[in-house]
Amino acid sequence: MTTTLAIANQKGGVAKTTTVASLGAALAELGHKVLLVDLDPQACLTFSLGIDPEDLELSVHHVLTKGLDPLEAVIETDDGVDLLPATIELARAEADLLTRTGREHVIKSAIESLAEDLGDEGYDWVLLDCPPSLGVLTVAALTAADGVLIPLQCETLSHRGVGQLLDTVHDVRRFTNRKLEVWGVLPTLYDGRTNHARTVLETISETYDLEVVEPPIPKTIKFAEAPAAGRSILATAARSNKGALAYREVAANLVTRSQRPKAKRKPTAKAT
Ligand code: ADP
Ligand code: MG
């Protein structure tokens, strides 16, 4: 069984890509088979895993808009995870898909095709690195997902986008994916020394009735260095690095969460 998790927040710079790369490496360390999907035309995830998008002939754009078999575009990385990479061509996918029937389902059907092709060798986890918008690609990611994880930098104005994201989740549940569950917010770039971060987090989780995924990911300098090394922080930092340890713990908690029986769907109030 594959668990597909969308890492989404339309705000940029909240550590979506870092979270996808780090959780992917941590899940692989736990023995899980993992596919990461880069859905951002900036291709930061692809870059950060040591792949130059300019060297790629086939990428996620061909899968989503040209019907390429996803297996043809998937590559193995040094981090022990597989990657469906992005290139700048993905910037056109949004417009290309806009007029297509079934556009919300393009990622879902790519994941299903991989599951069929790979059979018992299939992925345990598919992590979707969403772009910083609530456009076609993010909606398609939410349509493909079992759950959505919302990285959140705990600053005064960071709640402003959360209501909008939850509105989109609500619409996706109504129209394209009834089984989508919000797995919660993951505090990132967290400075636990200030009361401020904790207060913001509490306010957001109460206002929107959201679970907080533990532990928070502390701000550490190593994160800024990892992408340049072409490996995730789990490979480049010391085992005792606080950020790497936090991601390992989150990964273990997500594994437990994935084994939880599905919650009975209670009617969701439309967030305002
Ligand atoms: P997003 O994908 O949401 O735009 P990124 O994952 O690209 O965000 O992260 C934005 C920036 O913050 C990057 O430069 C990244 O290296 C840095 N960063 C991410 N997590 C941390 C952290 N825990 N500590 C310090 N810097 C971080
Ligand atoms: Mg990103």
Side-chain angles (χ1 to χ4, degrees):
M1 271 292 285
T2 307
T3 303
T4 302
L5 202 55
I7 316 300
N9 185 336
Q10 72 274 31
K11 195 167 180 326
V14 297
K16 290 181 290 296
T17 299
T18 306
T19 297
V20 167
S22 305
L23 287 180
L27 288 166
E29 281 180 1
L30 292 171
H32 295 253
K33 197 162 181 222
V34 182
L35 175 69
L36 308 184
V37 183
D38 193 348
L39 293 172
D40 189 341
Q42 307 283 332
C44 293
L45 178 65
T46 301
F47 257 116
S48 72
L49 291 171
I51 293 142
D52 186 345
E54 302 220 341
D55 295 340
L56 295 170
E57 267 172 43
L58 300 174
S59 66
V60 68
H61 152 81
H62 299 91
V63 175
L64 301 184
T65 66
K66 305 206 186 303
L68 176 76
D69 182 342
L71 261 190
E72 307 249 346
V74 167
I75 41 190
E76 286 178 20
T77 73
D78 293 341
D79 265 14
V81 299
D82 285 357
L83 171 72
L84 186 49
T87 69
I88 190 66
E89 286 178 290
L90 189 59
R92 257 191 293 128
E94 195 100 11
D96 285 354
L97 288 170
L98 216 49
T99 54
R100 297 272 192 92
T101 309
R103 59 181 172 272
E104 290 96 348
H105 299 277
V106 285
I107 298 171
K108 184 183 169 65
S109 88
I111 294 171
E112 283 172 355
S113 147
L114 282 169
E116 274 167 31
D117 288 353
L118 295 170
D120 291 344
E121 302 286 294
Y123 295 106
D124 302 307
W125 290 87
V126 177
L127 305 184
L128 305 171
D129 185 20
C130 293
S133 77
L134 292 174
V136 177
L137 291 171
T138 296
V139 170
L142 293 172
T143 300
D146 300 291
V148 52
L149 184 65
I150 309 171
L152 196 75
Q153 190 176 355
C154 300
E155 290 174 334
T156 312
L157 295 176
S158 53
H159 63 282
R160 289 184 52 86
V162 174
Q164 237 181 342
L165 174 58
L166 293 176
D167 281 348
T168 305
V169 166
H170 180 88
D171 287 343
V172 166
R173 270 194 199 140
R174 273 181 73 201
F175 299 118
T176 59
N177 181 12
R178 293 174 66 86
K179 68 171 197 211
L180 177 64
E181 291 185 342
V182 179
W183 281 29
V185 290
L186 175 67
T188 54
L189 295 146
Y190 195 75
D191 186 352
R193 290 169 306 179
T194 64
N195 286 332
H196 179 64
R198 189 146 288 280
T199 310
V200 170
L201 184 58
E202 276 168 15
T203 308
I204 292 170
S205 101
E206 276 169 24
T207 308
Y208 298 104
D209 191 21
L210 289 170
E211 267 183 63
V212 176
V213 175
E214 301 275 356
I217 310 298
K219 210 180 241 183
T220 72
I221 184 68
K222 274 284 168 199
F223 278 91
E225 296 169 6
R231 301 288 305 273
S232 84
I233 185 175
L234 272 73
T236 55
R239 280 203 75 82
S240 59
N241 177 278
K242 286 205 178 73
L245 285 174
Y247 273 120
R248 287 194 178 96
E249 237 181 281
V250 170
N253 289 337
L254 294 183
V255 172
T256 308
R257 173 70 161 82
S258 73
Q259 290 154 354
R260 200 200 275 180
K262 295 252 182 294
K264 271 235 178 79
R265 170 89 52 243
K266 49 179 181 190
T268 49
K270 188 149 170 107
T272 45

